[in-house]
C-alpha cells in the first residue's frame, strides 16, 4: 500500500511535500507535537481485544504524543448498530458479526478513551450516503466471488463452515429468485444508520 501511495503521490514526493513511514501504530517515527491532523481509517478493530482495551489505550497515547495541542484526530470506525444492520450481506454470517462487534470499541467507550488520552471528543459524523465497496455493494451475488469478499474484512472472520453455509444460501436464494429480495430486506436500515462513523477529537 505504501508503494501504491508513493506512485499516486509521486508529484508531491518529488518536491518534498509528502513523506512515508512504515512503523508500528503504537510507536510512530514522528517527533512529539509535530502533527496537525492524524487519521485512523478502519484500523482499530484490527488491534488485540482485551478487557479495558489496553492496545487501544497505547495507540491513542502515541497519537496524543505526536499530535500538537489544538490538532485533530479523525477516526473512521463502525458503530455496533451499523455492524448489525448496515451491511446486507452480514445477515449471511451472524457468528462473524458477533466477533466483529466484539472487536469494535463502542463509540461511548472510544470517546472516553480519547478523553483519558488527552483528546477532547468534538463530534461524530455519520455519512449515511457513503457506501463501502461502491456500486459492487449492490451486487447480490457478490459474496460468491473471493475478490468481492476481500473488499470487506468481515469476510475474513467466518469459519469455513459458516462461509460454506453462507455461500450455499446465496446460491439457493439466487436459484429461487429470492436473492435480490433478501438483499433489499437486509439493507432496509442502512440508508438511515449508515455504514461508518467518523469520530473527531481535538488534542488539548
Amino acid at each position: 500500500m505504501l508503494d501504491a501511495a508513493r506512485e499516486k503521490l509521486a508529484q508531491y514526493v518529488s518536491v518534498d511535500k509528502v513523506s512515508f513511514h512504515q512503523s508500528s501504530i503504537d510507536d510512530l517515527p514522528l517527533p512529539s507535537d509535530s502533527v496537525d491532523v492524524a487519521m485512523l481509517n478502519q484500523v482499530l478493530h484490527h488491534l488485540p481485544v482485551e478487557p479495558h482495551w489496553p492496545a487501544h489505550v497505547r495507540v491513542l497515547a502515541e497519537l496524543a504524543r505526536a499530535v500538537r495541542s489544538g490538532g485533530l484526530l479523525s477516526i473512521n470506525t463502525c458503530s455496533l448498530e451499523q455492524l448489525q444492520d448496515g451491511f446486507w450481506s452480514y445477515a449471511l454470517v451472524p457468528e462473524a458479526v458477533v466477533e466483529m462487534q466484539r472487536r469494535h470499541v463502542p463509540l461511548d467507550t472510544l470517546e472516553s478513551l480519547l478523553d483519558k488520552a488527552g483528546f477532547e471528543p468534538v463530534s461524530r459524523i455519520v455519512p449515511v450516503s457513503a457506501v463501502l465497496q461502491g456500486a459492487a455493494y449492490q451486487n447480490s451475488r457478490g459474496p460468491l466471488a473471493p475478490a468481492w469478499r476481500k473488499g470487506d474484512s468481515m469476510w475474513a472472520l467466518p469459519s469455513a463452515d459458516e462461509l460454506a453455509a453462507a455461500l450455499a444460501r446465496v446460491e439457493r436464494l439466487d436459484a429461487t429468485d429470492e436473492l435480490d429480495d433478501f438483499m433489499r430486506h437486509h439493507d432496509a436500515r442502512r440508508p438511515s444508520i449508515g455504514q461508518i462513523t467518523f469520530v473527531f477529537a481535538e488534542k488539548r
Side-chain angles (χ1 to χ4, degrees), residues 113-134:
L113 295 177
L114 284 165
D115 180 65
K116 291 175 182 176
F119 289 96
E120 181 70 31
V122 293
S123 67
R124 296 181 193 174
I125 295 177
V126 178
V128 292
S129 62
V131 178
L132 301 185
Q133 293 181 285

Side-chain angles (χ1 to χ4, degrees), residues 36-125:
D36 294 319
V37 179
M39 296 187 300
L40 295 176
N41 186 30
Q42 293 291 323
V43 167
L44 291 180
H45 62 277
H46 293 285
L47 295 174
V49 177
E50 300 174 75
H52 310 298
W53 310 94
H56 298 68
V57 169
R58 288 193 299 273
V59 167
L60 295 178
E62 178 65 355
L63 288 165
R65 181 194 66 78
V67 175
R68 66 171 177 80
S69 179
L72 296 177
L73 174 61
S74 168
I75 300 176
N76 173 357
T77 186
C78 297
S79 70
L80 302 187
E81 181 183 27
Q82 288 169 333
L83 291 169
Q84 187 65 46
D85 292 321
F87 301 80
W88 72 266
S89 65
Y90 291 6
L92 297 165
V93 286
E95 293 175 18
V97 171
V98 171
E99 174 60 19
M100 184 63 90
Q101 288 176 316
R102 187 183 73 86
R103 295 174 180 225
H104 275 72
V105 185
L107 296 181
D108 288 343
T109 301
L110 177 58
E111 289 180 342
S112 176
L113 295 177
L114 284 165
D115 180 65
K116 291 175 182 176
F119 289 96
E120 181 70 31
V122 293
S123 67
R124 296 181 193 174
I125 295 177

Side-chain angles (χ1 to χ4, degrees), residues 113-182:
L113 295 177
L114 284 165
D115 180 65
K116 291 175 182 176
F119 289 96
E120 181 70 31
V122 293
S123 67
R124 296 181 193 174
I125 295 177
V126 178
V128 292
S129 62
V131 178
L132 301 185
Q133 293 181 285
Y137 172 78
Q138 297 290 350
N139 177 5
S140 59
R141 288 181 55 83
L144 297 174
W148 190 95
R149 298 196 303 270
K150 286 180 180 178
D152 185 338
S153 58
M154 171 67 80
W155 287 93
L157 294 179
S159 66
D161 287 345
E162 186 177 28
L163 178 59
L167 301 185
R169 188 177 185 189
V170 171
E171 293 279 18
R172 286 196 306 273
L173 290 168
D174 191 37
T176 56
D177 293 324
E178 297 174 280
L179 184 55
D180 285 344
D181 287 340
F182 176 90

Side-chain angles (χ1 to χ4, degrees), residues 1-10 13 18-22 29:
M1 294 306 295
L2 284 175
D3 289 341
R6 287 187 186 98
E7 183 177 342
K8 289 181 178 180
L9 299 173
V13 174
V18 175
S19 61
F20 298 90
H21 307 275
Q22 183 173 352

